[in-house]
Amino acid sequence: MKNSNSSLEFLPTAFILVGIPGLEAEHIWMSIPFILMYIIIFLGNGTILHVIRRDVALHQPMYLFLAMLALVEVGVSASTLPTVLGIFLFGTTEISFDACLLQMFSIHSFSIMESAVLLAMSMDRFVAIYSPLHYAAILTLPRIFGTGAVIGLKSMMLMAPLPMLLRCLPFCGHNTLSHSYCLHPNLIHLPCGDISINNIYGLFIVTSTFGLDSLLIVVSYGLILHTVLNIATGEGRRKVLNTCGSHVCAVLAYYVPMIGLSMVHRFGHHVSPLLHAMMANAYLFFPPIVNPIVYSIKTKEIRRGIVQMVSKKRSRV
């Protein structure tokens, strides 16, 4: 460890990760559901990406944003995979300081991207419902890909200062984290110096991304409902609302676990560590598992593409 000016302060060379508190002896068995979850995540989101890529008819704004969502969910899951499987399969609980900061950066960057993509998808649905005749003219391919590039760049630029701010803080003997991966709300409790700047900047990130995105999503759906109510027939209303059903499920799958985890981190200092671990796992694993299933079931075009892909593979066999 690198000593600082005080013998009590140091910059840790590594952090200790915790799997499922209280179930350390069962980690090899706990690896089975995690492996299954990763298989579902990569297979499900990979299938969505493959279907959209190969079907030219799906090269439309709605499905291109869905492809972005699947891509960032793969990114979030890939960021957690090395430490999660390392703990449960091989008992590797140590992660280097720099690797931990890199994992934290990756997880939160992809999470910010996911929130922004959900906002873009809600805006896409609003334009499609409010102005269907101008939909293709407004959401052109260059604008869609430009939106994706801006989302990725903005997320990484917002997250870049956090690892540097953490490196500037003194640590005083605490280097055990309460999850199987590195999250900023967990890391920020370990330093013994003044963390006010880190807290202020972390709050700025949360309000300017998740807070603003969720507010704009609510506003967009308020406008969608207002537009739908002006449709004369009940059948027309049902058709229009049905196009938003999958996205509403995706929004709920993302924001409900995130709000729960935030509440536990902020107010649950005396609750069981097991609850902390379960909420963190729900936040990171629930959306990537649920969304491909929901979109495969509720989106006719995606479902048709999957059926065609499976049929072609069977015919080759």
Side-chain angles (χ1 to χ4, degrees):
M1 296 182 183
K2 301 176 184 178
N3 293 325
S4 62
N5 295 332
S6 170
S7 60
L8 296 177
E9 298 178 359
F10 68 96
L11 185 65
T13 57
F15 290 107
I16 304 301
L17 298 170
V18 176
I20 304 295
L23 298 176
E24 287 82 2
E26 309 296 331
H27 274 180
I28 190 65
W29 294 106
M30 293 301 298
S31 68
I32 297 174
F34 280 98
I35 290 172
L36 290 175
M37 284 192 290
Y38 279 119
I39 291 173
I40 294 171
I41 288 169
F42 292 123
L43 184 61
N45 286 286
T47 300
I48 295 287
L49 287 167
H50 179 69
V51 167
I52 293 173
R53 183 187 66 83
R54 67 184 291 274
D55 192 343
V56 179
L58 297 181
H59 293 179
Q60 301 175 29
M62 174 183 174
Y63 304 106
L64 294 176
F65 284 127
L66 175 58
M68 291 182 196
L69 181 65
L71 194 60
V72 297
E73 287 179 340
V74 168
V76 171
S77 301
S79 299
T80 64
L81 186 146
T83 52
V84 170
L85 295 190
I87 290 171
F88 291 109
L89 282 178
F90 308 109
T92 305
T93 58
E94 189 174 284
I95 181 173
S96 70
F97 185 78
D98 290 330
C100 188
L101 294 184
L102 178 61
Q103 185 181 54
M104 178 201 74
F105 173 83
S106 300
I107 291 173
H108 289 298
S109 293
F110 281 117
S111 295
I112 293 171
M113 291 180 205
E114 187 169 359
S115 176
V117 171
L118 288 172
L119 172 59
M121 294 174 78
S122 71
M123 295 298 183
D124 165 74
R125 291 298 82 206
F126 169 67
V127 174
I129 293 169
Y130 181 76
S131 185
L133 296 179
H134 301 94
Y135 178 67
I138 295 173
L139 291 173
T140 61
L141 287 180
R143 286 178 179 171
I144 293 168
F145 290 122
T147 299
V150 169
I151 288 172
L153 185 62
K154 182 199 76 171
S155 303
M156 291 186 287
M157 288 179 65
L158 280 172
M159 275 302 302
L162 281 184
M164 294 184 285
L165 288 172
L166 281 170
R167 289 191 67 87
C168 296
L169 291 171
F171 290 75
C172 302
H174 304 290
N175 68 336
T176 301
L177 300 173
S178 57
H179 302 307
S180 307
Y181 29 74
C182 300
L183 297 176
H184 184 261
N186 195 192
L187 279 167
I188 200 61
H189 292 300
L190 298 183
C192 54
D194 183 11
I195 60 172
S196 57
I197 295 177
N198 301 67
N199 281 331
I200 291 171
Y201 188 71
L203 182 61
F204 166 73
I205 291 178
V206 170
T207 54
S208 64
T209 55
F210 306 116
L212 183 60
D213 291 347
S214 59
L215 176 62
L216 292 176
I217 288 173
V218 171
V219 170
S220 67
Y221 271 97
L223 295 173
I224 287 172
L225 286 174
H226 180 267
T227 304
V228 169
L229 291 175
N230 291 328
I231 298 176
T233 64
E235 182 64 24
R237 292 176 185 175
R238 282 192 293 272
K239 285 184 178 179
V240 170
L241 289 175
N242 189 54
T243 65
C244 301
S246 300
H247 181 256
V248 171
C249 292
V251 170
L252 293 175
Y254 177 77
Y255 279 104
V256 171
M258 184 187 72
I259 293 171
L261 179 62
S262 299
M263 297 294 287
V264 168
H265 271 300
R266 190 162 297 275
F267 304 109
H269 301 295
H270 303 293
V271 301
S272 167
L274 180 61
L275 180 61
H276 279 267
M278 297 304 293
M279 290 301 299
N281 289 329
Y283 165 58
L284 292 176
F285 287 95
F286 189 66
I289 290 174
V290 169
N291 288 340
I293 297 173
V294 169
Y295 276 99
S296 299
I297 294 173
K298 292 185 67 65
T299 308
K300 181 176 65 177
E301 292 78 7
I302 297 295
R303 188 169 63 249
R304 185 188 65 229
I306 294 173
V307 170
Q308 290 176 350
M309 182 180 68
V310 173
S311 300
K312 285 185 177 180
K313 287 186 177 180
R314 285 182 178 176
S315 63
R316 289 173 185 172
V317 175

